[in-house]
Amino acid sequence: MAFGADNSGSGSPAVAAALDLPGGGLIDELPRGYYFVPTDGEILIYLKKKIMGEPLPCDIIPTVDNVYGVAPDSLPFESSMYTRGNEWFFFTIRTNSNEVMSEDGYWTTTPTAGAGGVVGLEAAAGDDEIIRNANGEVEGFKKELVYYDGVLGGNAETTCWRILEYRINPYAINNGSPNQLSDDVKHKIANLVICKVFVKKMRACRRRRGTRRG
């Protein structure tokens, strides 16, 4: 689950493979040659376990207080281990705004499909994309943000930096009865997210002036 192996000998991802752990135990690090490539559903498993205070399948996603508060190239990429070259994962506190200022630029959301008219989910999903499990049940939501270099409302320039913000569906926890949970867990459900920070390969965009690779 969520792991792939590089068998190419060139350092590029080549073969997706499940990591077979003896006895189904938990691990703190991955064997040489493996990288962390979770699906949307697997990301939500990590988020749900973090919210509930349960052991993670593999404790390799770092926590950052505010992913959106700094320029993307200033994030601690070295702490997001075992990821492929241009993507990194962090636990952080979600933003409730569609435009978020950082050190010398800002993040803004991109349009998504939203709830698609599903009754009872409009308020929970907002403009976010719905993530369903194999049974069609709504496990969570995600939205994409783009980083602009410059001043909001000014001559800002689009960069290649993107964030996919994942949050849990409150009704996917505690058998659909989130109101029976502790206040601490309710607070985490409302605020804790996983952000996948990545560089989108586009011919007309750039990373940022003076940016560095993780």
Side-chain angles (χ1 to χ4, degrees):
M1 181 185 85
F3 304 109
D6 184 354
N7 295 331
S8 65
S10 63
S12 61
V15 179
L19 184 60
D20 186 14
L21 300 177
L26 303 178
I27 58 175
D28 295 322
E29 59 183 25
L30 301 184
R32 185 184 300 273
Y34 281 82
Y35 49 78
F36 185 54
V37 284
T39 64
D40 288 350
E42 289 166 345
I43 289 173
L44 292 176
I45 290 174
Y46 277 77
L47 180 56
K48 184 176 180 179
K49 287 184 176 295
K50 184 77 168 180
I51 288 171
M52 299 303 293
E54 300 172 356
L56 301 177
C58 187
D59 192 10
I60 57 175
I61 302 179
T63 299
V64 175
D65 289 340
N66 183 8
V67 163
Y68 309 97
V70 298
D73 51 296
S74 298
L75 288 167
F77 294 126
E78 66 281 355
S79 65
S80 181
M81 300 180 292
Y82 307 110
T83 58
R84 294 184 292 185
N86 283 342
E87 61 183 38
W88 304 266
F89 297 87
F90 301 97
F91 288 109
T92 192
I93 301 302
R94 68 175 295 206
T95 172
N96 291 315
S97 173
N98 289 331
E99 295 172 335
V100 188
M101 304 303 298
S102 73
E103 290 175 340
D104 51 3
Y106 63 93
W107 293 97
T108 185
T109 55
T110 60
T112 64
V118 180
V119 176
L121 287 174
E122 286 84 351
D127 293 327
D128 296 357
E129 182 179 342
I130 284 179
I131 301 171
R132 300 179 184 275
N133 61 22
N135 297 322
E137 300 164 334
V138 178
E139 291 291 325
F141 314 98
K142 70 176 179 179
K143 67 179 178 181
E144 183 179 66
L145 297 96
V146 180
Y147 189 75
Y148 286 81
D149 199 4
V151 180
L152 179 63
N155 294 322
E157 187 173 349
T158 308
T159 73
C160 293
W161 289 102
R162 301 289 189 272
I163 282 178
L164 285 178
E165 180 191 278
Y166 293 83
R167 60 188 178 92
I168 205 75
N169 174 18
Y171 295 96
I173 291 183
N174 197 35
N175 296 318
S177 302
N179 293 331
Q180 298 176 8
L181 297 167
S182 68
D183 289 341
D184 178 62
V185 173
K186 290 178 185 177
H187 178 77
K188 290 179 180 178
I189 291 173
N191 295 284
L192 187 63
V193 296
I194 288 180
C195 283
K196 175 183 176 180
V197 182
F198 64 102
V199 177
K200 189 169 185 177
K201 295 181 180 179
M202 293 171 53
R203 188 175 295 177
C205 81
R206 60 187 179 82
R207 294 170 70 96
R208 263 178 29 96
R209 289 187 294 271
T211 190
R212 63 174 176 83
R213 288 185 179 271

